């Protein structure tokens, strides 16, 4: 037995070294490009026409900017700078830039660049797949979300009062280049918008007072030529009687078992409701009586997790233990796990819990050539709520079979860290190869994004555990 333990230790060290050498985890994901301190984006582009849409229907703003850019330089250019305030850029998530006319070509490379730690403005540097020739135009589609950008006003309310949110932005879309024509459209969840900034007709290119209102939508603009860096502060206050669900951390484990033929998933949540707080103490009687007519509420009282058809054995626990207020519905077309926390989560309140389930591995894994396997799983599942859900930090661990090597991965989610380690569980000899990926500022819109992991798993690795156990017994 001592010999077996010594052998397992040596093999463990060799296995760790092999995984590190044969993976695609050598890129320093957390590094930033540092520019000269006196950096100013070269004025080699101009925005010919720009339309920005701000969607406020969820608990986080989602912005889409469609802009026609033109190369005004005498040389081909392939780098476009997108400015953000320093306090905002750290909360930007899911930024994607595509060629609107050819979206099938994929997303352009985008990274944060830094030139002065104390500068109020930082940039995303967008690099085109092909340089834009002089006088040539291209239509860009830029989408991103901003986390923790909405402020409840007033900050404290009675238990059954309506909640209103304040959002502040600029009527002029922030740009590092001159914009010849632009407008901004806002989409609200309803028509109850008691306060908003009004701009005089003199600033509008068509001589109209801003905003122009149509149902639950506002339009600011169009505006004529606007220089780079120009801003016009706008504030809107609107009703949003739903929770502002914010996960400070989600730990998601995906454990693969070739012997059992199943994929075990566990997710651990640390949730906070960033909505308006209660002025007085919570009244259980008032809450129970209001549930008979089920009015809109800013408290988080239910979470629905759509799962893959065929999912089995769900569980729901929190810091106290098993939570019985859950329901699992499954049929040939869908599978849904409905969760109800032990208490309604009002503004400022927190709730941490874990959920898990299993699924048939054949739905996610296929064998390639030789000993190569390809695993395709969702990077993010989680609740699907009408108000949305934002994740400040997301850690995904893919726990592969013991002896898996040459691990590689692919995903469209921007990552800040990726590493390979060993995870030891019951009756393991060396420990299971584990891929850990970390992302920041992810929203529930990323639920459809896949994570593809490939690895080698020879027959000898699959037989290691039963042979070791047999020898140990002997």
């Amino acid at each position: 037995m001592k010999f077996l333990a010594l052998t397992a230790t040596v093999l463990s060290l060799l296995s760790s070294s092999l995984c590190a050498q044969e993976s695609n985890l050598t890129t320093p994901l957390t590094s930033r490009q540092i520019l000269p301190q006196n950096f100013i984006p070269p004025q080699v582009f101009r925005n010919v026409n720009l339309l920005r849409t701000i969607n406020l229907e969820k608990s986080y703003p989602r912005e889409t900017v469609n802009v026609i850019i033109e190369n005004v330089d005498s040389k081909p250019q392939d780098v476009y700078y997108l400015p953000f305030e320093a306090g905002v850029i750290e909360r930007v998530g899911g930024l994607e830039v595509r060629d609107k006319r050819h979206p099938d070509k994929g997303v352009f490379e985008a990274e944060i660049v830094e030139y002065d730690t104390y500068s109020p403005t930082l940039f995303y540097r967008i690099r085109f797949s092909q340089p834009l020739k002089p006088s040539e135009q291209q239509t860009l589609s830029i989408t991103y979300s901003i986390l923790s950008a909405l402020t409840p006003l007033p900050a404290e309310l009675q238990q059954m009062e309506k909640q209103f949110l304040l959002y502040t932005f600029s009527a002029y879309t922030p740009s590092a280049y001159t914009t010849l024509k632009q407008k901004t459209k806002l989409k609200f969840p309803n028509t109850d918008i008691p306060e908003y900034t009004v701009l005089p007709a003199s600033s509008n290119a068509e001589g109209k007072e801003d905003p122009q209102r149509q149902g639950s939508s506002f339009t600011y603009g169009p505006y004529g030529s606007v220089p780079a860096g120009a801003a016009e502060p706008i504030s809107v206050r609107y009703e949003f009687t739903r929770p502002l669900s914010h996960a400070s951390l989600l730990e998601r484990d995906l454990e693969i078992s070739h012997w059992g033929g199943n994929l075990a998933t566990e997710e651990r949540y640390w949730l906070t409701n960033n909505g308006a707080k209660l002025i007085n103490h919570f009244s259980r009687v008032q809450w129970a009586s209001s549930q008979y007519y089920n009015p809109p509420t800013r408290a988080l009282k239910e979470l629905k997790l759509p799962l893959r058809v065929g999912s089995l054995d769900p569980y729901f626990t929190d810091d106290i233990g098993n939570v019985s207020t859950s329901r699992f519905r499954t049929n040939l077309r869908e599978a849904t796990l409905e969760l109800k926390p032990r208490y309604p989560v009002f503004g400022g309140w927190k709730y941490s819990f874990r959920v898990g389930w299993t699924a048939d591995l054949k739905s996610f894994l296929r064998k390639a050539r030789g000993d190569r396997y390809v695993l395709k799983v969702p990077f993010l599942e989680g609740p699907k709520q009408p108000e949305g859900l934002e994740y400040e930090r997301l850690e995904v661990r893919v726990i592969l079979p013991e002896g898996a090597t040459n691990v590689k991965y692919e995903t469209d989610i921007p990552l800040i860290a990726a590493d390979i380690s060993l995870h030891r569980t019951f009756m393991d000899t060396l420990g299971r190869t584990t891929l850990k990926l970390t992302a920041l500022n992810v929203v529930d819109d990323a639920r459809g994004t896949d994570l593809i992991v490939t690895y080698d798993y020879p027959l000898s690795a699959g037989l290691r555990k039963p042979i070791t156990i047999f020898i140990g017994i002997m």
Side-chain angles (χ1 to χ4, degrees), residues 128-176:
F128 305 143
S129 54
Q130 293 182 346
L132 203 62
K133 298 177 181 178
S135 301
E136 189 176 3
Q137 294 184 349
Q138 185 173 26
T139 303
L140 301 180
S141 178
I142 306 170
T143 58
Y144 55 89
S145 302
I146 306 176
L147 279 67
S148 303
L150 304 175
T151 305
L153 188 67
E156 295 182 344
L157 295 170
Q158 297 290 344
Q159 187 166 313
M160 302 306 297
E161 280 189 288
K162 286 184 178 182
Q163 176 178 257
F164 289 85
L165 301 181
L166 179 70
Y167 182 56
T168 302
F169 61 100
S170 173
Y172 304 146
T173 303
S175 177

Side-chain angles (χ1 to χ4, degrees), residues 220-237:
Y220 283 88
Y223 303 115
S225 181
V226 175
E232 182 63 53
I234 298 291
S235 294
V236 292
R237 180 172 171 265

Side-chain angles (χ1 to χ4, degrees), residues 47 50 52 63 65 80-85 144 169-177 179 182 228-231:
N47 302 322
L50 183 150
R52 174 175 57 165
E63 298 198 9
V65 179
Y80 183 91
Y81 289 94
L82 185 65
F84 287 95
E85 293 181 5
Y144 55 89
F169 61 100
S170 173
Y172 304 146
T173 303
S175 177
Y177 310 98
T179 304
Q182 66 174 303

Side-chain angles (χ1 to χ4, degrees), residues 7-300:
T7 303
T9 303
V10 173
L11 290 176
S12 175
L13 295 174
L14 291 175
S15 177
S16 303
S17 174
L18 182 63
C19 290
Q21 292 173 5
E22 296 186 351
S23 68
N24 61 339
L25 308 180
T26 56
T27 304
L29 302 174
T30 56
S31 65
R32 287 188 180 182
Q33 297 296 321
I34 306 298
L35 300 175
Q37 189 170 359
N38 58 350
F39 171 77
I40 297 176
Q43 296 301 297
V44 295
F45 291 106
R46 68 180 176 187
N47 302 322
V48 179
N49 196 359
L50 183 150
L51 172 62
R52 174 175 57 165
T53 302
I54 303 177
N55 192 323
L56 296 174
E57 295 175 325
K58 289 191 173 185
S59 57
Y60 52 84
R62 180 70 173 171
E63 298 198 9
T64 301
V65 179
N66 294 320
V67 55
I68 301 174
I69 65 171
E70 180 182 355
N71 182 0
V72 296
D73 197 46
S74 59
K75 299 178 181 178
Q77 300 292 333
D78 64 348
V79 174
Y80 183 91
Y81 289 94
L82 185 65
F84 287 95
E85 293 181 5
V88 174
I89 199 168
E90 300 292 342
R91 295 182 281 111
V92 171
L95 187 139
E96 290 186 351
V97 184
R98 299 176 182 268
D99 185 338
K100 186 172 176 59
R101 295 180 180 177
H102 304 284
D104 55 311
K105 292 184 177 181
V107 298
F108 295 134
E109 177 188 340
E111 61 179 344
I112 299 177
V113 292
E114 185 176 295
Y115 66 97
D116 184 356
T117 305
Y118 302 102
S119 172
T121 304
L122 297 177
F123 297 92
Y124 266 94
R125 182 170 63 187
I126 301 164
R127 192 177 297 276
F128 305 143
S129 54
Q130 293 182 346
L132 203 62
K133 298 177 181 178
S135 301
E136 189 176 3
Q137 294 184 349
Q138 185 173 26
T139 303
L140 301 180
S141 178
I142 306 170
T143 58
Y144 55 89
S145 302
I146 306 176
L147 279 67
S148 303
L150 304 175
T151 305
L153 188 67
E156 295 182 344
L157 295 170
Q158 297 290 344
Q159 187 166 313
M160 302 306 297
E161 280 189 288
K162 286 184 178 182
Q163 176 178 257
F164 289 85
L165 301 181
L166 179 70
Y167 182 56
T168 302
F169 61 100
S170 173
Y172 304 146
T173 303
S175 177
Y177 310 98
T178 299
T179 304
L180 301 184
K181 183 180 180 181
Q182 66 174 303
K183 69 168 58 175
T184 296
K185 292 185 176 181
L186 290 92
K187 295 182 179 180
F188 296 96
N190 50 59
T191 57
D192 192 354
I193 312 162
E195 297 179 28
Y196 50 88
T197 302
V198 177
L199 298 181
S202 58
S203 62
N204 188 294
E206 297 177 353
K208 299 178 181 178
E209 185 180 79
D210 284 332
Q212 296 110 55
R213 185 168 182 171
Q214 186 175 5
S216 60
S217 298
F218 278 10
T219 301
Y220 283 88
Y223 303 115
S225 181
V226 175
E232 182 63 53
I234 298 291
S235 294
V236 292
R237 180 172 171 265
Y238 60 97
E239 180 194 350
F240 191 87
T241 310
R242 291 177 180 172
L244 297 183
S245 304
H246 175 89
S248 58
L249 174 62
L250 166 59
E251 294 178 342
R252 173 171 161 81
D253 289 352
L254 304 166
E255 186 170 345
I256 289 86
S257 173
H258 281 235
W259 277 96
N262 72 297
L263 171 66
T265 302
E266 180 174 280
E267 298 183 337
R268 297 176 292 277
Y269 292 83
W270 284 262
L271 283 184
T272 304
N273 185 349
N274 285 338
K277 299 179 181 180
L278 290 173
I279 292 180
N280 300 316
H281 294 295
F282 169 66
S283 171
R284 175 67 70 176
V285 174
Q286 189 178 22
W287 174 259
S289 62
S290 68
Q291 297 311 296
Y292 286 103
Y293 55 94
N294 197 27
T297 176
R298 66 184 190 276
L300 178 62

